[in-house]
Amino acid sequence: MKTNIALIGFMGTGKTVVGRRLAEVTGKDFLELDAVIAEKAGLSIPEIFRREGEAGFRQREAAAVAEAAGRRNTVIACGGGVVLATMNIVRLHESAEIVVLTAARQVILKRTRQDGATRPLLAGADPAMAVARLLAERRPLYRQAADVTVSTTRRTPDEVVLEIRRKLQV
Ligand code: S3P
């Protein structure tokens, strides 16, 4: 039986906030993959991108996914790019129900506006363009990976948690 819940979705869809709350109310452990990656590396996420490039970060991310998928009874909040490697999704599916959080593009832009310093992929001159491009590229991947999908547009984290629980019956 799958006892993990993996939260995936674009940057700014609330995976960390919702995941923490969901873990609290379901009595599961909480794991944020980016935090695990940063702690293991002894470097912040932007620093990993600077030193090792996106490819280096993706390798670390794949290793963190493999380890997290081996846990039980854990809410796993994944980074937005976790869908880029099919193997990550295969591994997560083995032990987790996969919940995709979505938000309207304008909402994502608003929520991530100040985040250039912490989100390397949005640190360029035109974050709106980056969001549009990445969203177009990833939407089909999120859709394909999803067991359930929950919109976070115009919803509080608690409302999102309720809908996840209703859809997953947890
Ligand atoms: C990324 C999302 C980030 C982080 C890294 C790359 C992405 O996580 O893993 O900056 O490729 O979408 P959040 O989705 O938690 O911001």
Side-chain angles (χ1 to χ4, degrees):
M1 189 174 122
K2 296 182 179 185
T3 61
N4 295 333
I5 300 172
L7 296 185
I8 72 173
F10 203 79
M11 295 173 267
T13 54
K15 301 176 297 274
T16 302
V17 175
V18 168
R20 209 178 284 285
R21 185 88 190 103
L22 179 64
E24 232 168 68
V25 296
T26 55
K28 294 181 187 289
D29 294 331
F30 177 68
L31 200 65
E32 205 218 348
L33 283 190
D34 276 351
V36 171
I37 294 165
E39 195 186 334
K40 262 228 159 101
L43 299 167
S44 68
I45 301 296
E47 196 57 36
I48 295 172
F49 270 74
R50 251 195 305 278
R51 292 197 195 185
E52 305 174 2
E54 182 172 349
F57 173 77
R58 296 298 171 206
Q59 269 179 25
R60 291 181 177 278
E61 186 174 48
V65 166
E67 204 170 306
R71 297 174 62 114
R72 294 189 57 75
N73 216 30
T74 302
V75 175
I76 306 164
C78 304
V82 77
V83 282
L84 296 175
T86 311
M87 185 50 74
N88 289 340
I89 300 305
V90 169
R91 289 201 168 115
L92 288 171
H93 267 309
E94 282 168 7
S95 68
E97 299 291 345
I98 297 186
V99 177
V100 173
L101 298 184
T102 65
R105 187 163 53 90
Q106 290 306 326
V107 172
I108 287 173
L109 270 177
K110 205 164 141 192
R111 289 184 189 157
T112 58
R113 193 168 290 154
Q114 312 292 343
D115 289 359
T118 53
R119 289 178 161 124
L121 296 181
L122 304 182
D126 193 346
M129 191 64 197
V131 166
R133 186 176 54 76
L134 291 170
L135 261 180
E137 197 176 293
R138 294 177 181 180
R139 254 197 212 105
L141 302 177
Y142 293 131
R143 198 171 299 138
Q144 210 172 16
D147 289 308
V148 304
T149 302
V150 176
S151 166
T152 67
T153 299
R154 283 186 294 277
R155 286 205 181 126
T156 65
D158 278 337
E159 288 168 340
V160 174
V161 166
L162 269 182
E163 184 168 345
I164 293 172
R165 297 190 73 185
R166 186 175 60 74
K167 285 189 164 166
L168 291 181
Q169 296 290 301
V170 291

